[in-house]
Amino acid sequence: MAKRVVVGLSGGVDSSVTAHLLIEQGYEVIGMFMRNWVDDSVIISEECPWVEDSNDALAVAERLGIPFHVIDLSEQYKERIVDYMFAEYEKGRTPNPDILCNREVKFDIFLKAAMKLKADFVATGHYCQKETIVENGKEIHRLLAGADQNKDQSYFLCQLSQEQLAKALFPIGHLQKPEVRAIAKEADLITADKKDSQGLCFIGKVRLPDFLQQQLAPKKGEIRELEPNSANFSSFFEKEMSHFDTKLEELKHLSKPYEYTSTDGKKIGEHNGAHYFTIGQRKGLAVGGTPEPLFVIEKDTKENVIYTGQGENHPGLLRKGLFVPKEQVHWVRPDLALKAGESRTYDSRIRYRQPLERAELFMEENGLYVIFENHQKGIASGQFVAWYDDNELIGSGEIQ
């Protein structure tokens, strides 16, 4: 009897080809569209993307001759993703809704809905790969990068568990994007030439600052600029070169953000709310006349101050390490988890599409310290760091 797979049909080309390939491989396929966002009060544009996407998903299901369901997850989305996101931005943190969306919705709520349809697996159009090995009689699921390096989406799945991976299929992970479009054209799928979706994972064609302004009220505050030789940085780097009494003391120093007060630097402008900005942001400051571009190097949502510096190599943008609290450390491969006092070197990244960077991971009683070989730009609390062994994602954690 054929195994049953529920495909998350999004109305895009990737999920369409996912369903097509599974049918060719002999699976019994059911298409399911997730209706994630129905609050028109925060849709900025006139377009209603989910209706168009739902219609395209239905057309693909009809072309492939598979059953089609629509599941309304808007209530759970609001609770688990949107409300969390607003709360994080209000605190001055930088959440990643796409990672949360996969952990909390696609591979939790959606997965459970698929299991009610007696599915053996769920499948998505993610550009990543899964490999199952057996060690000591136990199956271990490896999460591997997508073959298309320009589209690899393994980072977005960095919070998945072994239980979730056991039920997941990624049929296009071994393909390049042009190959996916070619397969869609050959199968005469309506989505073959459809553009990839942009914007937030749950809203569609809406810019993040526009979305945040719907819920977080504007609040005038100062933009302050700090010189590269400010004491905030020079004293920090001096200590970095000095002797530490213990390794833990050194780790804490290297992973600690710079400290600022509301009188540091000079005032160069005003903004409408510190919570609208992210560390490393260049556009949207509306301050001109500087020899080099201004970057946000820190934000203080309590005092409502944005701290900036000129140039992408400003010391305020650069940090050697970061810290993940113990309860936020997640191992995709629990069998490789570090114990307190252990360390290991991995390739790591702190954002999607960032090239992998060599880093040493130190597990301590209070959590995980990630110390990079080279200084990293724009480390922000709320982001996720993920670490890889070659092309396998081993674990991840939410940065403090």
Side-chain angles (χ1 to χ4, degrees), residues 45 69 81-82 89 99 106 108 110 112 136 138 206 221 243 253-254 273 308 325 345 348 392:
S45 69
H69 299 257
I81 312 296
V82 183
Y89 271 104
I99 289 175
K106 289 179 185 171
D108 186 16
F110 178 76
K112 286 169 182 168
N136 302 319
K138 185 184 175 184
V206 181
H243 174 75
H253 176 76
L254 292 175
T308 65
T345 301
S348 304
E392 181 183 5

Side-chain angles (χ1 to χ4, degrees), residues 141-153:
H141 307 287
R142 303 175 72 219
L143 177 60
L144 309 175
D148 188 336
Q149 291 185 354
N150 291 320
K151 294 294 293 181
D152 169 37
Q153 293 173 309

Side-chain angles (χ1 to χ4, degrees), residues 63-107:
R63 175 75 184 89
L64 296 175
I66 60 174
F68 180 72
H69 299 257
V70 175
I71 182 171
D72 188 345
L73 301 179
S74 53
E75 196 177 312
Q76 296 96 321
Y77 248 94
K78 184 177 185 309
E79 183 187 316
R80 295 203 192 187
I81 312 296
V82 183
D83 291 349
Y84 171 82
M85 195 172 140
F86 283 134
E88 286 287 277
Y89 271 104
E90 208 161 13
K91 291 176 197 165
R93 291 165 60 82
T94 307
N96 189 311
D98 294 298
I99 289 175
L100 291 172
C101 169
N102 287 313
R103 184 185 76 189
E104 299 288 329
V105 180
K106 289 179 185 171
F107 293 93

